[in-house]
C-alpha cells in the first residue's frame, strides 16, 4: 500500500514538473537543432562521410517536427493564465515565442532540402506554411487576453518568420523539377543571345583568349576569371540537368576554354560549377539580387528591434516573467540575430558574391574581392567538394569481415562498405583529363557525316576499355573481358584481376607504381556496392553477392595470395576450376583468368611492368568515363549532398568537351 502511494506521489511530481517545464524543454532543442543545421548543413557539400550525413539527416527531420510540436504546446499554454504583470503570480509565457518558432520552421540558409525529393514537396510545405502561420497567429491572439506587457515584441518577429518560411518555400519550389525546367528555358535564351553571333566555323579557329574577350570577360580581374567561366559552364549544366540539349556553339565554346587549361584548373572549374548547382538545389545561398538583400535587411532589423524592445521592456517590467522565461527569451532573440549575421557572412564569402563583386568591373569592388580572397586563402576555406574517393576492395572486405565478430552501427544501417578514403591526386586528374582530350580529338565536329571509328559519338561513348586494349594490341588476348553485355561483369572481373596482379607483383618485385589503378578499381566497386544508381543498369548486386560467396569459400587460399605467401600460379588452379561450380554470375574465376593473362604480358610477351600498369590504369579510366556517360543527371545531383563524386566531375568534363549525346552536332 505504501509502495503504491510512493509511486503515485512520484508520478504526480513528474507530471507537475513536465507540465511546468515541457514548453521550455522543447524551445531550447528547437534552437539547438537550428544551430546544428547551420553549422553542419553546408559542410556536407565538401565533406564525405557517414556520420556527418547521419547527423544532418536526423537534425533536418527533427527540426520541423520539434518546431511544430512546440508551436502546438505554445498555442495551448498561451493565455491559460489570466494573471498580469502586477500580480505576484508570474506565470506568463512571452508571446513572441510563437513567431520565433515560425522562424525556426523557415530553416537556416545552409539547408532547405535534404534530398532532391524534398524539393518536389513544395506544395506540402506551402500548406504547412499557411497552417503554421494560422497556429502562430492563434497563439499570439490568445496571449492578448493574458495582458502580456510586451505583446508588441511579437509583431516584428512575426514579419521575419513569414519572410523566412516564405523564402524557404520559394526556394523549394524553384528547385522542383517542373519549375527548374521552366526556368531553364530563360537560361537557354540567354545562351542563345550570348552565342548567337558566333558561327561554328568561327568557333573552330578561335582561341580561348579571343573567346573570353568576345564574351566580355576581358575586363574581369585575372584571379576572378575562373568564376565567370564556371558560371558559363553552370548555365550549360542547368540545361543538361533539365534533360534538354545544347547547341553546337555552346559546347564548342566550353571546349575551347577547357583545352587551354591544365587538368587541375579544369577540375577547379567543375568544382565551382558543382557548388553552384548544390546551392540552387539544396540551400538559400544563390545569386546576389536586390530582392534577397531587401528581405535579409528587413529580417535583421526585425530581430534587432525585437531584442531592443524586449530589453527595454524588461528594464521596466522585470517582474512580468520568470527568470527562466527571460533567459530563454534572450537565447532565442540573440540566437536569431547571430543566425542572420552568419547568413550574411556566408553569402558574402560565397562564390555567388565573389562572382557579383568581380562582375562590377570597378576598382572598389575588385579591392573587396581581393581582400576577401586573401582572407579565405589564409583560412584555407576554398574547399568546394570532398576531393577524395571512397575505397571498397571486395576480397579484402570479405576476408576482414570473416575475421570480425563485432556488429557496429554502420553495419546495422548497411553503411560499412567503405574501407578507406583516397585523395584524388593531381596525377590522377591529369590522367583522366588527358584521356578525355584524346577522346575528343577522335570526334570531329567539322565532319557532319557518319565516319565509324572517328566521328561516331555513340561509338566513342560506348568504349569501356576495348579502345585502350585494342591500341595496345591485346584485343585477342584479353578483349573479351570488357565486351560482356553487363558492364558490372567487366567491372568486377577487372577489379579482381587488378587486385591479384598487384599482390603478385608485390611478392615478386616489391611495391610497383599501381596507386592510380588500385584506387580507381576500388572506387568503381564502391560505386557498385553503395551507389549502383550511378552505374549502368545490370545485375551488379547479384554478381557482387555471389562473388563474395566464392571468396568466402576459398578464404584461406585468398589470404595466402593477399599476404604474399603463394609462390606460383599453380596455387590458383583450385579457383580456376570454379567455372562451372557456382554458375556464371560469380566472376571470381574470370578475374583470376584475366589476372593470369595480364601477368603473361610480362612473362610471355616481354612487356615492362610499367607498361602493363599504365594500360590497366587507362582501362579503368575508360570504364570510369563509360559509367559517367551512362548515368542520369538527377543521380549526379543527389551525389552532391555526400561531398560530391569523382564520377560527376568526369561526366561534366565530358559534357563540356561535347562528349555527350545531349550535345547537338547539326
Amino acid at each position: 500500500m505504501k509502495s503504491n502511494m510512493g509511486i503515485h506521489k512520484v508520478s504526480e511530481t513528474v507530471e507537475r514538473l513536465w507540465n511546468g517545464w515541457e514548453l521550455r524543454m522543447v524551445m531550447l532543442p528547437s534552437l539547438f537543432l537550428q544551430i546544428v543545421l547551420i553549422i553542419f548543413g553546408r559542410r556536407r557539400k565538401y565533406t564525405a562521410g557517414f556520420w556527418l550525413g547521419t547527423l544532418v539527416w536526423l537534425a533536418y527531420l527533427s527540426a520541423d517536427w520539434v518546431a511544430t510540436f512546440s508551436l502546438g504546446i505554445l498555442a495551448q499554454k498561451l493565455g491559460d493564465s489570466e494573471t498580469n504583470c502586477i500580480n505576484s503570480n508570474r506565470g506568463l509565457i512571452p508571446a513572441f515565442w510563437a513567431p520565433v518558432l515560425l522562424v525556426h520552421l523557415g530553416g537556416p540558409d545552409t539547408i532547405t532540402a535534404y534530398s532532391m525529393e524534398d524539393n518536389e514537396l513544395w506544395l506540402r510545405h506551402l500548406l504547412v506554411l499557411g497552417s503554421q502561420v494560422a497556429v502562430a497567429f492563434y497563439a499570439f491572439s490568445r496571449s492578448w487576453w493574458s495582458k502580456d506587457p510586451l505583446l508588441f515584441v511579437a509583431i516584428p518577429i512575426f514579419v521575419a518568420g513569414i519572410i523566412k518560411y516564405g523564402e524557404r518555400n520559394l526556394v523549394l519550389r524553384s528547385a522542383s523539377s517542373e519549375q527548374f525546367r521552366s526556368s531553364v528555358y530563360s537560361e537557354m535564351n540567354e545562351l542563345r543571345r550570348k552565342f548567337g553571333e558566333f558561327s561554328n566555323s568561327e568557333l573552330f579557329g578561335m582561341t580561348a583568349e579571343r573567346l573570353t574577350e568576345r564574351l566580355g570577360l576581358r575586363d574581369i580581374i585575372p584571379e576572378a576569371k575562373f568564376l565567370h567561366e564556371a558560371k558559363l559552364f553552370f548555365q550549360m549544366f542547368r540545361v543538361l540537368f533539365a534533360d534538354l540539349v545544347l547547341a553546337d556553339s555552346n559546347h564548342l565554346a566550353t571546349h575551347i576554354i577547357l583545352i587551354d587549361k591544365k587538368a587541375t584548373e579544369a577540375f577547379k572549374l567543375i568544382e565551382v560549377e558543382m557548388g553552384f548547382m548544390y546551392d540552387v538545389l539544396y540551400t538559400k545561398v544563390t545569386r546576389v539580387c536586390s530582392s534577397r538583400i531587401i528581405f535579409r535587411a528587413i529580417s535583421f532589423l526585425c530581430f534587432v528591434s525585437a531584442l531592443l524592445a524586449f530589453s527595454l521592456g524588461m528594464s521596466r517590467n522585470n517582474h512580468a516573467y520568470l527568470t527562466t522565461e527571460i533567459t530563454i527569451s534572450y537565447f532565442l532573440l540573440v540566437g536569431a540575430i547571430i543566425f542572420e549575421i552568419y547568413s550574411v557572412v556566408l553569402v558574402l564569402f560565397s562564390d555567388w558574391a565573389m562572382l557579383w563583386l568581380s562582375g562590377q568591373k570597378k576598382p572598389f569592388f575588385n579591392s573587396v574581392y581581393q581582400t576577401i580572397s586573401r582572407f579565405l586563402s589564409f583560412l584555407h576555406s576554398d574547399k568546394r567538394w570532398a576531393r577524395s574517393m571512397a575505397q571498397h576492395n571486395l576480397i579484402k572486405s570479405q576476408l576482414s569481415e570473416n575475421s570480425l565478430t563485432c556488429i557496429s552501427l554502420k553495419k546495422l544501417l548497411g553503411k560499412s562498405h567503405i574501407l578507406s578514403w583516397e585523395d584524388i591526386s593531381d596525377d590522377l586528374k591529369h590522367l583522366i583529363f588527358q584521356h578525355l582530350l584524346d577522346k575528343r580529338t577522335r570526334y570531329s565536329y567539322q565532319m557532319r557525316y557518319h565516319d565509324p571509328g572517328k566521328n561516331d559519338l555513340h561509338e566513342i561513348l560506348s568504349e569501356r576499355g576495348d579502345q585502350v586494349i585494342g591500341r595496345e594490341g591485346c584485343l585477342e588476348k584479353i578483349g573479351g573481358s570488357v565486351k560482356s553485355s553487363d558492364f558490372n561483369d567487366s567491372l568486377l572481373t577487372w577489379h579482381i584481376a587488378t587486385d591479384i596482379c598487384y599482390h603478385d607483383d608485390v611478392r615478386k618485385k616489391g611495391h610497383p607504381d599501381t596507386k592510380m589503378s588500385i584506387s580507381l578499381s576500388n572506387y568503381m566497386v564502391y560505386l557498385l556496392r553503395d551507389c549502383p544508381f550511378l552505374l549502368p543498369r545490370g545485375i551488379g548486386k547479384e554478381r557482387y553477392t555471389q562473388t563474395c560467396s566464392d571468396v568466402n569459400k576459398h578464404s584461406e587460399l585468398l589470404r595466402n595470395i593477399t599476404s604474399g605467401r603463394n609462390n606460383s600460379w599453380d596455387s590458383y588452379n583450385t579457383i580456376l576450376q570454379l567455372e562451372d561450380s557456382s554458375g556464371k554470375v560469380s566472376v571470381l574465376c574470370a578475374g583470376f583468368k584475366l589476372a593470369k593473362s595480364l601477368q603473361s604480358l610480362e612473362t610471355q610477351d616481354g612487356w615492362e611492368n610499367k607498361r602493363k600498369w599504365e594500360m590497366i590504369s587507362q582501362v579503368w579510366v575508360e570504364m570510369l568515363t563509360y559509367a559517367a556517360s551512362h548515368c542520369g543527371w538527377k543521380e549526379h545531383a543527389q551525389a552532391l549532398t555526400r561531398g560530391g563524386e569523382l564520377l560527376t566531375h568526369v561526366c561534366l568534363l565530358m559534357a563540356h568537351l561535347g562528349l555527350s549525346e545531349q550535345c547537338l552536332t547539326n
Side-chain angles (χ1 to χ4, degrees):
M1 191 70 171
K2 289 182 178 180
S3 176
N4 289 337
M5 290 179 63
I7 294 173
H8 182 68
K9 287 183 178 179
V10 170
S11 64
E12 283 185 346
T13 303
V14 171
E15 183 179 359
R16 187 166 57 253
L17 285 172
W18 172 252
N19 290 334
W21 284 86
E22 61 176 339
L23 186 56
R24 304 181 185 99
M25 292 174 66
V26 291
M27 289 297 294
L28 290 178
S30 181
L31 178 64
F32 172 75
L33 288 171
Q34 294 300 306
I35 295 173
V36 171
L37 289 175
I38 283 176
I39 295 175
F40 297 103
R42 190 173 171 82
R43 286 179 63 89
R44 64 185 187 143
K45 175 182 178 179
Y46 54 85
T47 305
F50 169 79
W51 296 112
L52 177 67
T54 302
L55 175 65
V56 174
W57 175 66
L58 289 173
Y60 181 82
L61 292 180
S62 303
D64 284 1
W65 181 85
V66 170
T68 303
F69 178 68
S70 304
L71 199 55
I73 295 177
L74 195 61
Q76 179 184 2
K77 294 287 184 182
L78 280 172
D80 282 351
S81 175
E82 294 298 326
T83 61
N84 55 42
C85 62
I86 300 174
N87 295 80
S88 59
N89 180 20
R90 298 176 297 170
L92 291 177
I93 296 170
F96 63 84
W97 283 14
V100 164
L101 290 170
L102 203 60
V103 173
H104 290 179
L105 284 169
D109 287 8
T110 53
I111 178 171
T112 54
Y114 180 80
S115 64
M116 289 286 294
E117 290 75 17
D118 293 321
N119 293 320
E120 305 302 324
L121 302 176
W122 68 271
L123 273 174
R124 180 185 298 180
H125 282 278
L126 181 62
L127 178 62
V128 172
L129 169 62
S131 61
Q132 297 304 332
V133 168
V135 172
F137 184 76
Y138 168 72
F140 172 70
S141 62
R142 287 198 69 186
S143 65
W144 186 274
W145 307 109
S146 65
K147 301 178 183 178
D148 189 337
L150 299 180
L151 190 66
F152 58 88
V153 176
I155 298 174
I157 303 180
F158 226 115
V159 173
I162 293 174
I163 289 175
K164 298 283 284 185
Y165 206 167
E167 186 181 21
R168 180 187 182 185
N169 200 72
L170 287 173
V171 170
L172 289 171
R173 179 179 180 272
S174 64
S176 64
S177 56
E178 184 178 350
Q179 293 298 320
F180 188 94
R181 189 181 177 92
S182 298
S183 67
V184 166
Y185 286 110
S186 61
E187 203 86 60
M188 293 181 71
N189 291 332
E190 183 179 343
L191 288 172
R192 193 176 294 114
R193 288 193 302 270
K194 188 175 293 185
F195 294 103
E197 59 185 77
F198 297 106
S199 64
N200 285 353
S201 59
E202 183 182 9
L203 283 169
F204 283 128
M206 188 174 288
T207 63
E209 183 179 356
R210 175 63 177 158
L211 176 63
T212 54
E213 181 182 346
R214 292 283 299 274
L215 292 176
L217 303 182
R218 184 176 183 178
D219 297 331
I220 302 294
I221 54 177
E223 54 264 48
K225 191 171 292 184
F226 78 97
L227 281 176
H228 294 266
E229 291 173 342
K231 182 195 175 185
L232 173 64
F233 282 33
F234 170 64
Q235 288 178 292
M236 297 182 184
F237 185 11
R238 284 171 59 89
V239 176
L240 296 171
F241 183 80
D243 291 327
L244 301 172
V245 293
L246 286 170
D248 275 17
S249 55
N250 297 159
H251 54 80
L252 284 174
T254 52
H255 167 252
I256 292 171
I257 293 173
L258 279 175
I259 60 174
D260 197 47
K261 303 287 185 186
K262 296 178 182 178
T264 52
E265 294 172 338
F267 270 82
K268 185 177 181 180
L269 281 177
I270 303 301
E271 283 185 31
V272 179
E273 177 185 6
M274 287 170 54
F276 285 154
M277 181 57 80
Y278 176 88
D279 290 338
V280 166
L281 294 178
Y282 302 109
T283 76
K284 298 179 186 177
V285 184
T286 55
R287 64 185 63 189
V288 178
C289 58
S290 57
S291 59
R292 289 183 57 82
I293 295 173
I294 292 171
F295 282 126
R296 188 68 64 217
I298 293 174
S299 298
F300 180 75
L301 291 175
C302 285
F303 290 127
V304 171
S305 62
L307 178 61
L308 292 175
F310 181 74
S311 300
L312 292 173
M314 284 297 96
S315 64
R316 298 176 182 176
N317 300 286
N318 58 2
H319 57 288
Y321 309 119
L322 294 171
T323 304
T324 306
E325 273 71 20
I326 295 173
T327 304
I328 293 175
S329 297
Y330 275 117
F331 270 123
L332 294 174
L333 291 173
V334 173
I337 293 174
I338 293 174
F339 293 164
E340 284 299 299
I341 294 173
Y342 179 80
S343 297
V344 172
V345 172
L346 189 69
V347 171
L348 183 62
F349 287 172
S350 70
D351 286 333
W352 296 100
M354 303 294 274
L355 180 71
W356 181 83
L357 286 170
S358 58
Q360 302 306 303
K361 303 178 184 179
K362 295 179 181 179
F364 171 75
F365 292 101
N366 290 339
S367 299
V368 174
Y369 175 93
Q370 291 167 340
T371 302
I372 295 176
S373 295
R374 293 191 193 99
F375 181 69
L376 292 176
S377 299
F378 175 75
L379 295 177
H380 302 287
S381 59
D382 61 339
K383 194 174 182 181
R384 295 181 177 87
W385 76 295
R387 296 177 184 171
S388 60
M389 49 185 174
Q391 301 285 285
H392 177 78
N393 184 283
L394 187 148
I395 294 177
K396 183 178 179 180
S397 174
Q398 287 304 115
L399 296 182
S400 62
E401 189 172 299
N402 291 339
S403 63
L404 295 176
T405 56
C406 63
I407 299 177
S408 64
L409 177 61
K410 282 188 177 182
K411 284 189 177 183
L412 290 175
L413 296 176
K415 298 292 184 180
S416 62
H417 310 109
I418 299 177
L419 299 182
S420 62
W421 293 89
E422 189 73 37
D423 290 338
I424 298 173
S425 65
D426 290 346
D427 289 339
L428 180 57
K429 292 178 182 178
H430 176 76
L431 177 68
I432 294 171
F433 190 55
Q434 191 58 50
H435 184 86
L436 295 179
L437 291 179
D438 291 342
K439 276 184 180 293
R440 174 61 179 77
T441 59
R442 292 188 288 114
Y443 179 47
S444 174
Y445 289 108
Q446 292 172 305
M447 298 176 62
R448 294 304 182 194
Y449 300 99
H450 181 76
D451 182 9
K454 182 174 179 63
N455 201 45
D456 189 349
L457 177 61
H458 181 75
E459 183 176 315
I460 291 175
L461 295 180
S462 298
E463 295 168 352
R464 59 190 199 193
D466 47 316
Q467 192 274 333
V468 174
I469 295 172
R471 188 179 63 206
E472 296 290 344
C474 302
L475 269 177
E476 184 177 346
K477 193 166 192 174
I478 59 175
S481 62
V482 294
K483 292 183 178 179
S484 171
S485 58
D486 184 7
F487 172 71
N488 300 303
D489 184 355
S490 300
L491 190 156
L492 282 174
T493 300
W494 271 85
H495 171 69
I496 292 172
T498 302
D499 200 31
I500 297 302
C501 287
Y502 166 73
H503 289 295
D504 192 53
D505 281 0
V506 168
R507 180 179 60 81
K508 293 177 181 177
K509 303 178 177 65
H511 290 278
D513 185 13
T514 62
K515 186 174 182 179
M516 287 190 288
S517 301
I518 295 296
S519 59
L520 283 175
S521 170
N522 291 343
Y523 174 65
M524 293 298 288
V525 176
Y526 148 73
L527 293 178
L528 175 65
R529 184 64 185 84
D530 279 12
C531 310
F533 49 85
L534 290 173
L535 296 179
R537 293 192 183 109
I539 55 171
K541 183 177 181 180
E542 186 62 25
R543 289 189 187 281
Y544 179 92
T545 302
Q546 292 210 17
T547 304
C548 288
S549 178
D550 273 358
V551 169
N552 291 335
K553 288 180 184 177
H554 301 278
S555 57
E556 192 60 37
L557 176 60
L558 288 169
R559 280 197 183 91
N560 291 336
I561 293 172
T562 56
S563 63
R565 291 198 292 267
N566 280 83
N567 297 319
S568 171
W569 280 95
D570 294 337
S571 304
Y572 304 151
N573 288 337
T574 305
I575 292 179
L576 294 176
Q577 294 170 0
L578 287 175
E579 188 168 13
D580 298 321
S581 65
S582 59
K584 297 182 179 180
V585 177
S586 172
V587 299
L588 185 62
C589 176
F592 269 82
K593 284 185 174 181
L594 176 59
K596 192 168 186 178
S597 297
L598 289 171
Q599 294 299 76
S600 70
L601 292 174
E602 290 185 65
T603 58
Q604 298 177 11
D605 299 350
W607 282 32
E608 292 183 357
N609 185 264
K610 181 180 179 182
R611 181 185 174 188
K612 179 191 71 179
W613 282 107
E614 283 178 351
M615 184 191 73
I616 292 175
S617 65
Q618 289 283 352
V619 168
W620 277 114
V621 171
E622 197 158 277
M623 285 192 178
L624 182 70
T625 59
Y626 176 84
S629 62
H630 289 76
C631 174
W633 291 108
K634 297 292 191 299
E635 287 74 20
H636 283 300
Q638 189 63 53
L640 297 179
T641 63
R642 301 188 301 273
E645 293 286 356
L646 173 64
L647 191 74
T648 305
H649 281 74
V650 175
C651 189
L652 284 169
L653 282 171
M654 293 179 71
H656 293 312
L657 287 170
L659 296 172
S660 169
E661 293 187 343
Q662 285 180 258
C663 297
L664 295 178
T665 57
N666 51 46

